[in-house]
């Protein structure tokens, strides 16, 4: 196949990238985007600080630009993200518990309703688990005021708002099977599926260092999939982008039938939030790096 998207489609998967609305007018950027990728995640435009900067006042303009671009070019969309403790406007953390609950419900409902029918999957809750050995939720305005049940509540609200969208939990450092954080998220998904709490997918961000993915990554993907959810690699970037590390990551997904797609977190190294690590598939001039052909061959 002549592109990442077409290669992934041969096995029914997608290949996506994070996109910034402000770069769509750059022709080098949009040429690569539309040639290579068939799934788009807005890098920042669907986050709470952009979409509801003050209570009840919604701004979907930047995200709408990306959604329109995707519709015009046959790309699917991942919605990112509804409930996250970062890029959260200050007014949210100042609310009382009961106001926070209604603000969270309203935010999920308004945003999902606005984009209804145009989003394949939503990252309903992002990064709710703590780093380190606790395996518990991290402290956040949601956790601290609403308690452990906030994640379940968010997923139930999301299902009512758009019953056709896939609902995902998304996090980082949950790729290594034996880590306490991985086990904490696994226990939550197992509990949700056993009690009928609506959850369809788990996103593994996969922001890797120079060592690449952990050796257990395929095991982790396969164990989560065995709970009855789809799994996806959602924000892939790898410090120094070794061809071998990219191939191992893609192989981990391709060997798990319910691993339905891979998204890299940006197009050119110069687009990356970790641009000092040169972690992506295209260099600053938009030329494919050795990791690009390695990924293409592994798909
Ligand atoms: C990052 C964006 O890439 C940056 O532009 C922004 O300044 C901060 O957020 N986990 C996530 C993503 O879920 O939303 C983050 O994106 C990277 C880490």
């Amino acid at each position: 196949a002549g592109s990442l998207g077409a290669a992934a489609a041969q096995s029914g998967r997608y290949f996506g990238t994070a996109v910034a609305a402000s770069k769509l007018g750059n022709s080098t950027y949009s040429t690569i985007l539309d040639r290579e990728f068939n799934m788009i995640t807005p890098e920042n435009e669907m986050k709470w600080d952009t979409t509801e900067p003050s209570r009840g006042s919604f701004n979907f303009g930047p995200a709408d630009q990306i959604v329109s671009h995707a519709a015009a070019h046959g790309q699917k969309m991942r919605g990112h993200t509804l409930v996250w403790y970062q890029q959260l406007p200050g007014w949210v953390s100042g609310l009382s518990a009961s106001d926070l609950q209604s603000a969270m419900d309203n935010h999920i409902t308004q945003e999902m309703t606005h984009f209804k029918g145009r989003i394949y999957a939503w990252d309903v809750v992002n990064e709710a688990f703590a780093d380190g050995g606790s395996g518990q939720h991290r402290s956040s305005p949601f956790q601290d005021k609403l308690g452990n049940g906030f994640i379940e509540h968010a997923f139930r609200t999301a299902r009512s708002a758009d019953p056709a969208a896939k609902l995902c939990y998304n996090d980082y450092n949950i790729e290594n099977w034996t880590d306490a954080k991985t086990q904490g998220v696994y226990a939550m998904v197992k509990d949700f599926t056993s009690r009928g709490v609506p959850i369809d997918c788990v996103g593994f961000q996969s922001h890797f260092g120079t060592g690449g993915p952990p050796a257990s990554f395929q095991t982790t993907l396969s164990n989560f999939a065995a709970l009855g959810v789809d799994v996806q690699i959602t924000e892939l970037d790898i410090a120094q982008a070794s061809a071998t590390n990219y191939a191992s990551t893609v192989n981990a997904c391709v060997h798990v039938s319910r691993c339905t797609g891979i998204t890299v977190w940006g197009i050119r190294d110069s687009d990356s939030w970790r641009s000092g690590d040169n972690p992506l598939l295209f260099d600053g001039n938009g030329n494919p790096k050795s990791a690009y052909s390695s990924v293409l061959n592994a798909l």
Side-chain angles (χ1 to χ4, degrees):
S3 72
L4 299 168
Q10 290 176 327
S11 64
R13 295 181 172 84
Y14 64 80
F15 206 97
T17 180
V19 161
S22 61
K23 293 176 183 165
L24 287 171
N26 176 303
S27 66
T28 306
Y29 183 86
S30 58
T31 299
I32 303 171
L33 170 62
D34 300 332
R35 185 183 71 220
E36 300 289 343
F37 298 99
N38 52 16
M39 174 72 85
I40 289 176
T41 305
E43 187 170 0
N44 290 297
E45 292 79 353
M46 289 185 175
K47 294 172 182 175
W48 199 318
D49 59 355
T50 297
T51 56
E52 195 184 2
S54 59
R55 192 171 181 182
S57 208
F58 288 88
N59 171 24
F60 296 121
D64 283 341
Q65 280 183 45
I66 298 179
V67 172
S68 302
H69 182 100
H73 296 88
Q75 293 142 332
K76 290 187 180 172
M77 291 287 311
R78 187 180 190 95
H80 175 79
T81 176
L82 297 165
V83 178
W84 187 27
Y85 74 101
Q86 287 191 31
Q87 293 176 270
L88 188 65
W91 66 265
V92 179
S93 35
L95 298 175
S96 68
S98 63
D99 277 2
L100 178 60
Q101 185 65 263
S102 32
M104 188 184 95
D105 289 351
N106 188 53
H107 184 76
I108 292 171
T109 304
Q110 296 295 325
E111 184 159 349
M112 288 186 77
T113 302
H114 178 83
F115 294 111
K116 205 166 184 168
R118 294 165 168 262
I119 306 293
Y120 169 73
W122 275 102
D123 289 328
V124 177
V125 176
N126 195 36
E127 301 184 354
F129 277 73
D131 297 315
S134 77
Q136 302 299 125
H137 297 173
R138 71 168 70 240
S139 171
S140 73
F142 306 106
Q143 177 66 27
D144 300 349
K145 288 185 180 144
L146 308 177
N148 277 328
F150 88 88
I151 303 180
E152 172 171 350
H153 189 94
F155 275 86
R156 291 192 185 279
T157 303
R159 183 67 98 217
S160 311
D162 183 355
K166 305 268 189 211
L167 306 181
C168 311
Y169 178 79
N170 192 57
D171 214 330
Y172 67 93
N173 282 357
I174 58 168
E175 294 85 12
N176 186 34
W177 175 242
T178 54
D179 285 358
K181 188 172 176 182
T182 308
Q183 292 298 311
V185 174
Y186 179 81
M188 175 190 76
V189 175
K190 190 172 185 189
D191 172 54
F192 280 14
T193 53
S194 73
R195 291 189 297 111
V197 179
I199 184 167
D200 304 304
C201 31
V202 176
F204 296 78
Q205 291 184 11
S206 308
H207 296 293
F208 295 134
T210 51
S216 63
F217 191 24
Q218 186 182 319
T219 299
T220 303
L221 292 173
S222 136
N223 287 346
F224 273 83
L227 295 174
V229 291
D230 288 337
V231 294
Q232 292 103 17
I233 295 175
T234 52
E235 304 184 10
L236 179 60
D237 49 21
I238 308 180
Q240 305 316 325
S242 100
T244 310
N245 285 338
Y246 262 102
S248 319
T249 306
V250 170
N251 275 317
C253 178
V254 163
H255 290 139
V256 174
S257 60
R258 290 197 76 157
C259 184
T260 58
I262 299 172
T263 293
V264 288
W265 205 241
I267 298 178
R268 302 160 298 185
D269 284 334
S270 50
D271 299 314
S272 173
W273 72 312
R274 315 163 54 181
S275 55
D277 288 339
N278 298 316
L280 295 174
L281 301 178
F282 295 87
D283 68 20
N285 296 319
N287 295 313
K289 296 160 63 180
S290 65
Y292 172 86
S293 28
S294 166
V295 167
L296 201 58
N297 290 332
L299 284 168

